[in-house]
């Protein structure tokens, strides 16, 4: 009886030894890594079991490396952490890439091997616009102080140009000048006629004396 119990326990243990590897490899021997891009410079990737596409529930040991397209800069290695803002298969980096074009590669070592890569572009973020500095209120009265001077000058010049009372003396003076000119011409003509008559009379007197 005891022999039978020991034999049954040995068979059960042997079965468990075979079942555990089967359960461990149910998802496959490799993982699938898809680098999906970046979010504010943080690399994003989906890591799933390659066999069935299920998300990996256990911890993932993976490194992220990035090289600029021109090869002048390198970033990493960084490790992947779970992305709380994405689906269960989403992973990301705590560090962020600077603006530019990068060749990103992700290598997974646990729970199985996997690799993914993608060229990622990180745009330049424009800085927030700076609010204009308000002008000091003490400087505001300066331009308004000069306004009355200009208005006073324009008010003083306006009546001189448009007032009919200022135009009347000029018209009267012009009329007086025309009148004096006409009178002078008339007096000159009368004086000339008188002189002509006087000369004629003197001529006749001479002729009478000679005759």
């Amino acid at each position: 009886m005891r022999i039978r119990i020991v034999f049954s326990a040995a068979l059960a243990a042997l079965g468990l030894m075979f079942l555990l590897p089967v359960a461990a490899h149910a998802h496959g021997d490799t993982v699938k890594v898809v680098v999906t891009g970046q979010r504010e410079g943080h690399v994003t990737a989906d890591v799933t079991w390659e066999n069935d596409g299920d998300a990996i529930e256990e911890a993932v040991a993976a490194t992220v490396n990035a090289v600029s397209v021109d090869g002048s800069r390198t970033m990493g290695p960084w490790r992947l952490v779970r992305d709380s803002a994405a689906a269960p298969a989403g992973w990301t980096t705590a560090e962020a890439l600077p603006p530019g074009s990068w060749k990103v590669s992700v290598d997974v070592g646990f729970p199985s091997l996997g690799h993914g890569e993608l060229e990622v572009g990180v745009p330049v973020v424009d800085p927030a616009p700076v609010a204009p500095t308000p002008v000091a209120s003490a400087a505001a009265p300066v331009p308004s102080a000069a306004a009355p001077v200009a208005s006073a000058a324009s008010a003083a010049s306006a009546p001189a140009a448009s007032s009919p009372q200022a135009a009347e003396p000029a018209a009267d003076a012009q009329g007086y000048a025309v009148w004096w000119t006409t009178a002078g011409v008339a007096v000159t003509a009368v004086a000339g006629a008188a002189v002509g008559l006087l000369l004629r009379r003197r001529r006749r007197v001479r002729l009478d004396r000679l005759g």
Side-chain angles (χ1 to χ4, degrees):
M1 184 68 179
R2 290 180 179 179
I3 296 175
R4 186 178 296 178
I5 295 174
V6 172
F7 183 73
S8 299
L11 288 177
L14 185 62
L16 289 174
M17 291 177 62
F18 284 102
L19 288 175
L20 286 174
V22 172
H25 294 286
H27 293 291
D29 294 334
T30 57
V31 297
K32 181 179 180 180
V33 181
V34 178
V35 181
T36 56
Q38 60 84 30
R39 184 173 63 250
E40 297 179 356
H42 301 273
V43 177
T44 57
D46 288 341
V47 182
T48 57
W49 290 106
E50 188 173 19
N51 186 36
D52 52 16
D54 290 344
I56 299 177
E57 298 178 356
E58 54 264 48
V60 171
T63 56
V64 180
N65 291 277
V67 181
S68 61
V69 174
D70 58 4
S72 60
R73 294 181 293 173
T74 60
M75 304 297 291
W78 299 333
R79 69 185 187 91
L80 281 180
V81 295
R82 287 195 180 273
D83 190 354
S84 59
W91 295 77
T92 186
T93 58
E95 300 82 0
L97 292 170
S101 297
W102 301 88
K103 294 179 180 178
V104 177
S105 61
V106 177
D107 292 286
V108 179
F110 182 84
S112 291
L113 299 179
H115 175 80
E117 59 184 24
L118 180 71
E119 184 173 325
V120 174
V122 180
V124 178
V125 179
D126 294 333
V130 180
T133 304
V135 181
S137 58
V142 174
S144 61
V149 177
S151 60
S154 59
S157 60
S162 59
S163 176
Q165 296 175 355
E168 288 179 1
D172 294 341
Q174 186 176 2
Y176 289 146
V178 173
W179 184 84
W180 280 109
T181 302
T182 305
V185 173
V187 170
T188 303
V190 171
V195 171
L197 290 175
L198 181 59
L199 291 175
R200 288 179 183 178
R201 287 181 181 178
R202 288 182 178 180
R203 196 179 223 179
R204 286 180 183 177
V205 170
R206 289 179 182 177
L207 290 176
D208 291 341
R209 287 179 181 179
L210 292 175

